[in-house]
Amino acid sequence: MLAVCLAALPQADHSEAEVVAGVREIGALWARSGGRVDDLLSALNAMAAELDGNGAPCHDGCERLVVELERGFRPAAPEPVLTPEGTAAVFAVDGGSADVVAAAFQRSGRSDVTCVVVGDRAEVLLPSRGEQAAVHECEVVLAKLPGWSIRAAVASEPDGLAAASRLLGIAVALDLPDGVYGRADLLIEGAVARSRESSAALRRLITPVMESHSLRTTLAALIAEGGNRTGAAERLIIHRSTIDYRLARIEQLTGQSPLTVRGLQVLTTAYALCS
């Protein structure tokens, strides 16, 4: 294990494939011998502390080792299949790997949590958990991952995974702050997204705006600023009269005023669906 850890250091003369294969083999051997993954990770952390104490720049290498060790360890045991039922959470990781979310959940101590990495997303199934409890658990995991830009959505209806994916798409489209979102946080947008007729009508309404770069970015800035024209103008670095002209043009094209509560809500929902 020490040899593989040293091989993972940035200055080591080993190929990426060799290091990954070696680390995963250690994880698989440990699993076949009946060892617990927590003990393996504890040993790795202790070794990392020893190496750091001796001036070896091993922090980044050890972070990579954690992910690859778990990948080697998990396949040795029967892997549960992530089903579309139950309370589910879907995480989107911006500028990084969803492996960090998966690893954080695997270290959370709950053996019944299933986590699958799909591209830049982590899909998590939390069986027999209500939505409120699932949101809290996800927030705890995110708190352990400072510095990452991560959004997550949680749903507990029969099609929990699909519903969480829809909610996450809305949160990303609206560029909402990092955090965990439930159905109550995106109630209107989520309901409309499930209605084909409403979705189609809103897509038709917003299409002229989405086809104009200046109008699309102006609406996005207004949504991000919660309807504040001054804030939106500052975000776009444009004059107040310019944004007023663009907002008037949006109203002319859609029939919805972005300066009213109702109009902005309609436009926000339509924007989310088309983004």
Side-chain angles (χ1 to χ4, degrees):
M1 185 170 175
L2 177 59
V4 176
C5 183
L6 292 173
L9 296 179
Q11 74 275 16
D13 186 22
H14 291 78
S15 72
E16 178 79 10
E18 289 175 341
V19 173
V20 169
V23 175
R24 290 184 182 180
E25 178 60 19
I26 290 173
L29 287 171
W30 186 262
R32 289 197 293 270
S33 70
R36 297 190 319 128
V37 69
D38 289 346
D39 294 335
L40 182 61
L41 296 180
S42 294
L44 175 63
N45 289 332
M47 186 170 62
E50 288 287 338
L51 291 173
D52 279 336
N54 287 295
C58 68
H59 182 268
D60 290 341
C62 288
E63 286 293 320
R64 291 172 54 225
L65 283 177
V66 168
V67 173
E68 299 302 340
L69 279 171
E70 291 188 326
R71 283 179 169 174
F73 183 90
R74 299 297 174 186
E79 290 195 11
V81 177
L82 191 60
T83 67
E85 297 183 356
T87 303
V90 181
F91 291 76
V93 184
D94 185 15
S97 170
D99 285 328
V100 297
V101 174
F105 267 97
Q106 298 295 359
R107 291 195 297 270
S108 67
R110 283 192 56 193
S111 59
D112 59 341
V113 172
T114 304
C115 189
V116 177
V117 175
V118 182
D120 63 348
R121 301 195 335 173
E123 298 182 349
V124 182
L125 185 66
L126 302 99
S128 303
R129 304 283 288 183
E131 185 173 310
Q132 185 175 358
V135 167
H136 174 70
E137 188 164 354
C138 292
E139 289 174 340
V140 170
V141 170
L142 287 189
K144 298 177 181 178
L145 300 170
W148 291 86
S149 178
I150 302 175
R151 296 185 188 91
V154 176
S156 57
E157 54 195 67
D159 62 336
L161 188 57
S165 295
R166 286 194 298 270
L167 292 176
L168 178 65
I170 293 170
V172 172
L174 295 178
D175 196 22
L176 297 179
D178 295 347
V180 184
Y181 296 90
R183 287 174 298 177
D185 300 307
L186 300 166
L187 194 59
I188 296 176
E189 295 88 347
V192 172
R194 299 189 64 177
S195 168
R196 292 184 179 181
E197 291 183 0
S198 297
S199 296
L202 286 175
R203 289 178 190 277
R204 288 193 298 270
L205 178 143
I206 201 71
T207 293
V209 174
M210 301 301 286
E211 291 177 345
S212 167
H213 175 74
S214 62
L215 297 184
R216 184 178 70 251
T217 54
T218 298
L219 179 58
L222 188 70
I223 292 171
E225 294 294 332
N228 186 303
R229 281 183 295 172
T230 301
E234 292 176 351
R235 178 183 286 255
L236 295 170
I237 317 179
I238 60 176
H239 195 271
R240 177 67 176 266
S241 62
T242 302
I243 197 170
D244 286 344
Y245 168 78
R246 293 181 182 179
L247 295 178
R249 181 61 177 157
I250 290 174
E251 181 177 4
Q252 183 182 34
L253 291 171
T254 64
Q256 299 290 332
S257 171
L259 300 180
T260 65
V261 174
R262 180 179 180 277
L264 183 59
Q265 180 64 69
V266 171
L267 292 168
T268 297
T269 304
Y271 177 86
L273 290 174
C274 285
S275 297

